């Protein structure tokens, strides 16, 4: 299923309003991914919304501080965060933090750089330590090395609307029915997003 990420909405837009604004673009996707966990005051508005929430993204500083809340979504996509001087020790710490999220379906996201967790090999190590943990491929952050190493663990993927990701490679790696999220910078022009959605529909929905 295709979805838009609420990050695309103008900066500082509350999540319910962001979801409504993206729905008003008329792309008829019927789903969004939240670019951050909702605040308590945002949960009622999200529950009243017509958009299905496919995933909730959380960064390394945020995902251990609370729960996304009851918004009808159990998939939490988390950043692994910066690796410490002792990479093995910081990976163990990451596993402890992920274990605290066992009430959710959790996927580790491609890191923003090599100084962060997980490396391609670490995705499998975390999954061995915590069965059920998956991998979320962010095409704007990582390439085929992650797709090949973590293929059996893929829960879904995202790509930048203004990026140059090879969506056919992504399609072939993902399991059938896996969510695909169109992401982008806050306030991204509607035309850029529409073009990305049309391109993705031609590949993922063919």
């Amino acid at each position: 299923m295709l979805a838009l990420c609420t990050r695309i909405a103008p900066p500082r837009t509350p999540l319910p309003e962001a979801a409504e604004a993206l729905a008003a673009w008329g792309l008829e996707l019927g789903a969004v991914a939240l670019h951050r966990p909702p605040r308590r005051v945002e949960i009622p508005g999200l529950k009243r919304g017509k958009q299905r929430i496919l995933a909730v993204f959380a960064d390394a500083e945020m995902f251990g501080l609370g729960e996304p809340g009851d918004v009808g979504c159990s998939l939490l996509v988390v950043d692994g965060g910066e690796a410490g001087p002792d990479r093995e020790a910081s990976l163990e710490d990451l596993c402890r933090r992920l274990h605290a999220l066992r009430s959710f379906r959790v996927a580790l996201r491609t890191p923003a750089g090599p100084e962060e967790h997980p490396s391609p090999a670490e995705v499998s190590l975390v999954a061995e330590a915590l069965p059920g943990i998956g991998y979320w491929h962010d095409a704007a952050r990582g390439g085929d090395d992650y797709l090949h190493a973590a293929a059996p663990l893929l829960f879904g993927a995202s790509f930048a609307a203004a990026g140059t990701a090879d969506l056919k490679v992504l399609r072939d790696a993902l399991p059938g029915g896996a969510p695909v999220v169109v992401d982008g910078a806050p306030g991204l022009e509607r035309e850029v997003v529409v073009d990305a959605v049309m391109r993705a529909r031609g590949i993922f929905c063919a």
Side-chain angles (χ1 to χ4, degrees):
M1 174 178 275
L2 282 174
L4 295 180
C5 183
T6 54
R7 190 191 328 273
I8 296 171
R12 295 179 294 280
T13 304
L15 291 178
E17 285 83 345
E20 287 183 12
L22 296 178
W25 283 3
L27 295 173
E28 298 181 352
L29 296 181
V32 294
L34 305 183
H35 70 283
R36 61 170 174 78
R39 301 183 180 94
R40 188 174 299 276
V41 297
E42 294 174 314
I43 292 173
L46 289 169
K47 292 175 72 173
R48 289 193 301 268
K50 297 179 180 179
Q51 296 280 79
R52 176 184 174 191
I53 299 171
L54 287 187
V56 177
F57 289 81
D59 62 30
E61 288 71 34
M62 189 179 293
F63 81 77
L65 300 180
E67 298 185 350
D70 182 16
V71 292
C73 175
S74 63
L75 177 56
L76 189 61
V77 180
V78 300
D79 283 351
E82 186 175 351
D86 184 338
R87 193 170 182 109
E88 183 177 348
S90 64
L91 186 65
E92 291 177 357
D93 179 64
L94 172 62
C95 287
R96 284 192 290 270
R97 288 182 285 149
L98 291 173
H99 181 68
L101 302 172
R102 57 190 178 275
S103 60
F104 296 97
R105 189 167 177 251
V106 177
L108 264 178
R109 185 183 182 190
T110 318
E115 70 284 353
E116 297 183 3
H117 292 302
S119 68
E122 287 170 347
V123 176
S124 297
L125 291 175
V126 172
E128 289 173 7
L130 299 170
I133 294 288
Y135 169 65
W136 183 277
H137 186 69
D138 187 331
R141 291 183 171 191
D144 293 351
D145 52 343
Y146 274 92
L147 281 178
H148 293 154
L153 302 168
L154 273 169
F155 280 7
S158 51
F159 70 94
T164 58
D166 188 335
L167 299 187
K168 291 183 179 178
V169 170
L170 201 56
R171 177 199 61 194
D172 293 344
L174 287 169
V180 178
V181 174
V182 182
D183 203 347
L188 189 64
E189 295 86 353
R190 180 180 182 275
E191 292 75 15
V192 175
V193 178
V194 171
D195 287 347
V197 169
M198 294 301 104
R199 183 164 58 102
R201 274 181 169 153
I203 292 172
F204 292 104
C205 302

